[in-house]
Amino acid sequence: MARTTGSHSDITGPRVRAAALKLFAQDGYAAVSMRAIAAEVGVQAGALYNYTPDKQTLLFDLMQGHMDVLLAQMPQGDGQEPLEALKAFVTFHLQYHAGRPDEVFIAYMELRNLSDENFARIEALRRSYEDRLEHILQAGRAAGLFRIHDTKIVALAIIAMLTGVNTWFRAGGRLSLDEVVAQYWDMVRNAVGAGELPR
Amino acid sequence: MARTTGSHSDITGPRVRAAALKLFAQDGYAAVSMRAIAAEVGVQAGALYNYTPDKQTLLFDLMQGHMDVLLAQMPQGDGQEPLEALKAFVTFHLQYHAGRPDEVFIAYMELRNLSDENFARIEALRRSYEDRLEHILQAGRAAGLFRIHDTKIVALAIIAMLTGVNTWFRAGGRLSLDEVVAQYWDMVRNAVGAGELPR
DNA sequence: TTTGCTTTTGAACAATTGTTCATTAACCAC
DNA sequence: GTGGTTAATGAACAATTGTTCAAAAGCAAA
């Protein structure tokens, strides 16, 4: 046999990426064989190499795609006041991450399986994301709105807290996403010392 | 050749666990071969099976050992008031985790490489740890000290925030551990709505 | 219908995997 | 020293790994 009826790169290509995403998230990059990905697509292993030069690039492309969209879609916050910008960041982060659990999981679980060069590229994108949050925090502190000390630490702490949601949140579960967003926004606002006045 | 001069199970045993710990943390369970562990110890692969029935058990024992010590050493907080108990928890968590980066890393990165049975056991230990924090939060809310809504979410958020420290903290770096603890305690206390009064 | 392009197969490759076990040497109490 | 116990070797195993490639078959425009 050779080419199969109905085969098209426009169809197979996305299916290869989808299968890799699903399996990498499920079992981990190192534990997923190219044959397993091929089986998920319904194809032989050799066919995958029409869509990626190698397994490493397949992982890298998934991670880079995720980070690119994350950075492109995140709120810009131009001219917004710091508290509003922070709220927008928190809301965006939770909503974006809740909608893409597999991408998120891979993006921070499989960092060590990247080659040195690829790791550096993803790390740069990640840092850029963190920096944008830190800028909001610096602006808020400068305006006397946030009572925080080290903006770098606070930025990392907030992101860790928010990203942790993905370990337990499931759409259709006990809490709606809006409820989750409301509670996390409460905590973040309080954590930066911008909680409600009455006590 | 056979038994080597100076070989003793009291020495080799701990070295096997130490090598596995180091390599699993560095490269991931699936990416580390038994031969790589053996090479780190300075022994042939076959010798490892004097110390573990198989690779899976080696991973499980490391994780279980970590969780057992974590639960044994964590503050009990008997009769302590909630704010003090929370502070003790935060301090303990940060100090314990900062001192054992490899164990911590493995304990939450390699969960998916456990067999179903082993996963359930580790998960139970983890939940027990989370529950102890949640009890503190419930007591604080009942006493009117904490202004929080869902104690389960707050517990998970706090743990995620604290555990995230391990991704960047290095002893001897820009910040001392005490400074880190102080800043995280500030954030946690504020997050639960028990911040300082003056505003 | 022919032609050229696209897409997949399936076999082959060298390397590596976890694990077993007969064999052998070092250790240690007597 | 002797003998039993302990601890390692090193070869062997079947299975699986990522990747390559000639061959073949479907597709689409002429």
Side-chain angles (χ1 to χ4, degrees):
Chain A
M1 273 213 285
R3 181 172 185 172
T4 54
T5 78
S7 60
H8 263 293
S9 60
D10 290 348
I11 294 173
T12 308
R15 292 191 64 202
V16 166
R17 286 184 286 277
L21 178 70
K22 173 185 169 182
L23 294 179
F24 286 167
Q26 198 174 91
D27 304 321
Y29 174 78
V32 175
S33 70
M34 293 299 269
R35 283 170 181 82
I37 298 171
E40 176 81 16
V41 177
V43 99
Q44 295 299 314
L48 299 182
Y49 291 85
N50 292 324
Y51 303 99
T52 183
D54 49 37
K55 192 187 175 190
Q56 163 73 203
T57 306
L58 191 50
L59 173 64
F60 173 71
D61 287 346
L62 289 173
M63 293 178 67
Q64 190 180 43
H66 168 66
M67 292 305 295
D68 284 346
V69 178
L70 177 76
L71 287 169
Q73 295 195 2
M74 77 181 293
Q76 300 303 311
D78 309 325
Q80 236 174 357
E81 61 170 336
L83 195 63
E84 282 306 307
L86 182 59
K87 184 174 185 177
F89 180 91
V90 169
T91 304
F92 166 78
H93 187 102
L94 289 171
Q95 287 177 346
Y96 185 86
H97 282 59
R100 293 159 183 80
D102 285 350
E103 281 94 339
V104 169
F105 197 61
I106 288 176
Y108 89 115
M109 287 290 269
E110 303 296 354
L111 282 170
R112 63 174 159 199
N113 286 309
L114 292 173
S115 66
D116 290 349
E117 186 190 343
N118 286 342
F119 176 80
R121 288 200 247 172
I122 297 296
E123 193 61 12
L125 297 175
R126 176 183 299 272
R127 189 153 309 169
S128 148
Y129 185 69
E130 295 166 359
D131 284 348
R132 293 227 222 157
L133 172 57
E134 197 183 349
H135 287 330
I136 296 174
L137 295 175
Q138 286 169 343
R141 185 177 59 180
L145 295 168
F146 301 161
R147 310 175 82 225
I148 53 180
H149 187 216
D150 191 309
T151 52
K152 184 76 187 166
I153 284 191
V154 176
L156 293 174
I158 289 174
I159 289 175
M161 189 170 101
L162 297 178
T163 305
V165 171
N166 268 49
T167 63
W168 58 266
F169 178 78
R170 297 292 175 269
R174 179 168 69 91
L175 293 166
S176 75
L177 185 52
D178 285 347
E179 288 169 324
V180 172
V181 169
Q183 289 204 48
Y184 272 81
W185 170 233
D186 263 354
M187 284 190 278
V188 169
R189 192 187 46 199
N190 283 332
V192 300
E196 298 169 279
L197 296 186
R199 269 197 61 87
Chain B
M1 273 215 286
R3 181 172 186 173
T4 55
T5 78
S7 60
H8 264 293
S9 61
D10 290 349
I11 295 172
T12 309
R15 292 191 64 201
V16 167
R17 286 184 287 275
L21 178 71
K22 173 185 169 183
L23 293 179
F24 286 165
Q26 197 174 91
D27 304 321
Y29 173 79
V32 174
S33 68
M34 293 299 269
R35 282 170 182 80
I37 297 171
E40 177 81 15
V41 176
V43 100
Q44 295 299 314
L48 299 182
Y49 291 85
N50 291 325
Y51 304 98
T52 184
D54 49 38
K55 192 187 175 190
Q56 163 74 204
T57 305
L58 191 50
L59 173 64
F60 173 70
D61 286 345
L62 289 173
M63 293 179 67
Q64 190 181 43
H66 168 67
M67 293 303 295
D68 283 347
V69 177
L70 178 76
L71 287 168
Q73 295 195 2
M74 77 179 295
Q76 300 303 312
D78 309 323
Q80 238 176 355
E81 60 171 336
L83 194 63
E84 282 306 307
L86 182 59
K87 184 174 184 177
F89 180 91
V90 169
T91 304
F92 166 78
H93 187 102
L94 288 172
Q95 287 176 347
Y96 185 86
H97 281 58
R100 293 159 184 80
D102 286 349
E103 281 94 338
V104 169
F105 197 62
I106 288 176
Y108 89 113
M109 288 290 268
E110 303 298 354
L111 282 170
R112 63 175 157 198
N113 286 310
L114 291 174
S115 66
D116 290 349
E117 186 191 345
N118 286 342
F119 175 79
R121 288 200 248 171
I122 297 296
E123 193 61 12
L125 297 176
R126 175 184 301 272
R127 190 152 309 169
S128 148
Y129 185 69
E130 294 166 1
D131 284 349
R132 293 226 222 157
L133 172 57
E134 198 183 349
H135 287 330
I136 297 174
L137 296 175
Q138 286 168 343
R141 184 176 61 181
L145 295 168
F146 301 162
R147 311 174 80 224
I148 54 181
H149 187 217
D150 191 310
T151 52
K152 183 79 187 163
I153 284 191
V154 176
L156 292 174
I158 289 175
I159 288 175
M161 189 171 101
L162 297 178
T163 305
V165 171
N166 268 49
T167 63
W168 59 266
F169 179 78
R170 296 294 174 269
R174 179 168 68 89
L175 293 167
S176 74
L177 185 52
D178 285 346
E179 288 169 325
V180 172
V181 169
Q183 289 203 48
Y184 272 81
W185 169 234
D186 263 354
M187 284 189 279
V188 170
R189 191 187 47 197
N190 283 332
V192 300
E196 298 169 280
L197 296 186
R199 268 196 64 86

